[in-house]
Amino acid sequence: MSKNSSYSDSYTREAWERFVSSSEEGDERPTAVRDEILDSWKRSRQLGVAADGSASHKILDENQLYLRRERNAALRQAASAAFKRLEPHLTEARTILILADDQGVIIDAIGDEEVLDEGQGIHLEIGGDWNENIIGTNGIGTVLKTGKPTYVHASEHFVAGVQSWTCAGAPIYDPFTQAVIGVVDLSGPPQIFRQHNVALVLATAREIEIALAEQRQVERTQLLEAFIMSNHSRAHDSVILVDQTGRVLFRRGLETDVLRRTKELSVGHKLLPKLEGLSDQEIPNFLPLSIETQGIERLNLEGVFRGVAVFLKDGAKLQKGPNEAYKIKPRINVSEGQTQIVGSSPKMVDAISLAERAAMANVSVLIHGETGVGKELFARLIHSQLPGAAAPYVPVNCAAISSDLIGAELFGYVDGAFTGAARGGRAGKFELADKGVLCLDEVGDMPIELQPYLLRALEQRAIYRVGDSQRRPVDVRLVAMTNRNLRTEIEKGNFRRDLFYRISLMTIEVPPLRERGNDILELVHHFSEHFSEQTGQPPMVFTDKVLELLAGYQWPGNVRELRNVMHRFYLIKTDNVVTERDLPPEILDDFENDDEDALEHILRGHSGDLESIEASAIRRTIISENGNLTKVAHVLGISRPTLYRKMKRYHIRKN
């Protein structure tokens, strides 16, 4: 038993005995019992749970249990990696880890073999039903009832037969609907009790939610690709894409008021039963009466059935241009025009849709992507979807602030907190972002020693200024951005695992420009129109060869590099026709002359993007050294592993 715990088994047992022996609630609340436990005891008694029971119920029908586990296959798959990682630490710790579904039935269990055997005596095993209305207060059923993480220790259990156990549970939320879809629970004999067991199951639940989101994202991308490749992807403006399980994964061309009236069309909602075995004629019969369809199309990708496209009648059609939904309003009190996310490639549409859902779900978001892909535009898109025009948007670049000052920058400080502190103190970015969005750019560069404070602020929804003990509540939507692989940073010890799970409940992968197909040419024309309007010059005309080269270039600097190239045309061109010789050398890959290896030549006429300059230097050196990578690394002054990493990043081949 933890020394810092206020739990007293004798007092709790005495309170439990008084409670179960009385038929009515007394006037006094037992001081030895936590409110959440007492509330659960009351529910258990009202439900008629027998306090003198010895065990829970179990599903004995093997076929019924098989179907239940199959129905939760996605949840079990999402939990498998976390369970596998934790299993070696449980085997000799007298502990088991349990996964239960949304009704409290155990669908997976791992851990100490001896404890697993002991659990069978109370049906704490696969098939065991631990809903509160069956077995009363416990770490699975009570979490499902309240939707909150909790622990239930020894005599806090309502049923006497399970009071020789301790457990801690945390809810697992659907990443789309935010509904509780299961529970992860840590159980064992009373000796394993620690209040911080809740933190462990909470981190595990977040890890499972992230795996679920990634799983759904893959399914959604495959479904979207199947739709794009189908015969009718452009024939209808209003469409709902439904996966094999009947769940809505994508919708297009629906007005906001239509979505409000028809909740069944929300992404993540189970609109149809499982599609396997249903004919095209049967599917419309299962749709709500409020949905009028023009047709159904089955979607296949690489010979695998992915789902169906449900085409809606024109009454729900979006009356806007194709990119209108991606326009971002100017921020209040900021001198700026309307900005726009341009792109219709599947990966880009997917990322935009995720950002819109993230704004509605009110969860922390991690935006990941290479330098220059436009991560902040997605943060701005989330902000623009918030209700209320006055919601603040506060950006912070974690890499641009010294490690000594970033704590004060985020959380603020009081008068005299440190040398140089402003008189009277100052509010931090968290307070400034209250009721709005706090955007942490380069979050992977945040000092490791500061990360626990960020985690605490997010969990408690409150901050403490540097040098102050006053708790200050804040209501902040966190959007974190990074071009780093945070999982790799976790393994290196540079980033906390629990913070990663907290900030990445929804992860938006912004694709690099080279993976966006025709979006490149869309962006060429978009930026050309922008700079034409800005400079007062006529729009540039691009030859077919130029468009071919622009579309085929790898764009290591992504959208930022493309924007710089377009801006350069409007700065240096004396006419409005862009030919092949107007392109920067890194696009042409013209390395015929030795004197072009000089940095001066690389910089001359270049778009100015550092990533592009670096990629150009590597390409030129590879050619000048005839592909000898050892010599290339020596000339560039970097190690061979660094050279290989940069070649992979910029998609540079040895030949």
Side-chain angles (χ1 to χ4, degrees), residues 338-599:
Q338 183 173 253
T339 56
Q340 184 175 340
I341 299 179
V342 176
S344 55
S345 61
K347 288 185 178 180
M348 203 63 180
V349 171
D350 207 36
I352 291 167
S353 179
L354 261 180
E356 291 175 330
R357 291 206 307 279
M360 293 191 306
N362 189 16
V363 295
S364 297
V365 180
L366 178 65
I367 302 176
H368 180 262
E370 295 178 8
T371 300
V373 293
K375 295 187 289 292
E376 189 175 0
L377 280 178
F378 283 84
R380 290 281 313 282
L381 178 61
I382 292 171
H383 171 254
S384 71
Q385 303 288 316
L386 300 187
Y393 176 85
V394 181
V396 181
N397 190 326
C398 298
I401 306 171
S402 72
S403 57
D404 296 334
L405 295 177
I406 192 169
E409 187 76 13
L410 286 177
F411 305 120
Y413 55 86
V414 294
D415 192 1
F418 52 85
T419 303
R423 179 173 294 182
R426 181 175 295 170
K429 301 297 187 183
F430 260 92
E431 289 180 75
L432 296 176
D434 190 35
K435 303 293 188 296
V437 168
L438 176 64
C439 179
L440 295 185
D441 195 9
E442 304 297 348
V443 71
D445 291 312
M446 176 172 285
I448 189 75
E449 61 271 14
L450 188 66
Q451 293 174 23
Y453 298 99
L454 174 60
L455 179 63
R456 184 174 71 174
L458 295 173
E459 294 286 1
Q460 298 183 356
R461 305 183 73 83
I463 58 97
Y464 295 86
R465 290 187 181 181
V466 175
D468 193 12
S469 59
Q470 180 186 346
R471 184 179 186 273
R472 300 171 189 265
V474 289
D475 180 13
V476 167
R477 303 267 189 111
L478 181 79
V479 178
M481 303 189 298
T482 184
N483 60 5
R484 297 190 179 195
N485 185 328
L486 292 187
R487 292 184 185 275
T488 302
E489 296 302 312
I490 289 170
E491 298 306 319
K492 291 179 180 177
N494 297 332
F495 205 83
R496 290 178 62 102
R497 188 182 299 272
D498 49 4
L499 178 59
F500 171 72
Y501 294 141
R502 184 62 181 80
I503 67 174
S504 60
L505 182 55
M506 289 188 74
T507 300
I508 299 172
E509 290 285 346
V510 184
L513 189 54
R514 61 183 172 274
E515 296 180 6
R516 292 175 54 185
N518 289 334
D519 283 1
I520 294 173
L521 298 183
E522 281 189 43
L523 285 162
V524 166
H525 294 297
H526 170 75
F527 287 132
S528 182
E529 290 176 6
H530 170 76
F531 289 119
S532 171
E533 183 179 339
Q534 189 180 79
T535 61
Q537 300 179 49
M540 292 289 169
V541 177
F542 303 92
T543 66
D544 290 344
K545 182 61 176 178
V546 166
L547 292 176
E548 179 187 337
L549 290 169
L550 292 175
Y553 180 52
Q554 291 296 306
W555 298 106
N558 291 297
V559 179
R560 184 182 299 142
E561 181 186 1
L562 174 56
R563 189 182 193 279
N564 290 345
V565 169
M566 300 305 298
H567 194 186
R568 175 180 174 275
F569 292 149
Y570 280 87
L571 291 176
I572 67 172
K573 289 284 293 176
T574 56
D575 60 11
N576 71 327
V577 178
V578 179
T579 64
E580 192 176 341
R581 59 184 181 177
D582 295 316
L583 295 174
E586 70 274 9
I587 295 179
L588 291 170
D589 275 335
D590 184 5
F591 310 124
E592 293 179 2
N593 300 321
D594 291 338
D595 62 349
E596 291 185 349
D597 292 336
L599 179 61

Side-chain angles (χ1 to χ4, degrees), residues 240-242 246-251 264-269 271:
I240 304 294
L241 301 189
V242 182
R247 194 180 300 274
V248 176
L249 289 191
F250 178 81
R251 80 280 189 290
E264 294 93 341
L265 301 185
S266 302
V267 171
H269 181 81
L271 180 66

